[in-house]
């Protein structure tokens, strides 16, 4: 389906380190199929790598709302919280 195709295309762009383009595809996949948790997770990973911890945590929480058994999202959420706290401690 279209959402899966957009998500997969986003993955290719992510692997090419084309983060902005990957996020566009993940967002399009979400708009196409809002109940599909995988593009939220993938978009969260990009946001995390860019240091946008609040936005990443929002996406990881949405994944867990849609699929509470998504273990990688739970781990990524915990890591984003820890990294945000560490960043705040260091003052940047």
């Amino acid at each position: 389906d279209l959402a899966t195709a957009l998500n997969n295309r986003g993955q290719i762009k992510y692997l090419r380190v084309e983060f902005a383009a990957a996020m566009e595809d993940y967002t399009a996949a979400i708009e196409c199929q809002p109940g599909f948790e995988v593009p939220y997770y993938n978009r969260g990973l990009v946001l995390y790598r860019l240091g946008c911890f609040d936005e990443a945590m929002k996406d990881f929480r949405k994944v867990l709302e849609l699929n509470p058994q998504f273990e990688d999202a739970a781990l990524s959420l915990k890591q984003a919280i820890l990294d945000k706290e560490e960043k705040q401690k260091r003052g940047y």
Side-chain angles (χ1 to χ4, degrees):
D1 64 70
L2 181 58
T4 301
L6 287 164
N7 180 72
N8 291 345
R9 189 173 73 180
Q11 282 296 94
I12 292 165
K13 291 175 181 176
Y14 175 79
L15 294 171
R16 291 181 183 159
V17 197
E18 296 171 7
F19 293 148
M23 283 188 22
E24 286 176 13
D25 281 344
Y26 297 142
T27 300
I30 290 164
E31 290 168 355
C32 183
Q33 191 177 335
F36 183 26
E37 72 271 21
V38 176
Y40 288 101
Y41 175 70
N42 290 331
R43 187 174 69 181
L45 290 177
V46 174
L47 290 164
Y48 172 83
R49 285 196 60 180
L50 294 173
C52 303
F53 299 124
D54 289 330
E55 295 92 336
M57 289 186 290
K58 183 178 174 192
D59 274 351
F60 295 144
R61 286 188 177 108
K62 181 65 177 180
V63 172
L64 294 169
E65 176 187 313
L66 293 168
N67 178 0
Q69 308 306 314
F70 201 123
E71 287 184 35
D72 286 346
L75 292 170
S76 295
L77 176 59
K78 286 179 191 170
Q79 192 61 55
I81 291 167
L82 290 172
D83 288 355
K84 180 185 175 187
E85 290 170 357
E86 187 63 31
K87 185 177 176 181
Q88 287 171 333
K89 281 183 204 167
R90 293 183 183 179
Y92 59 87

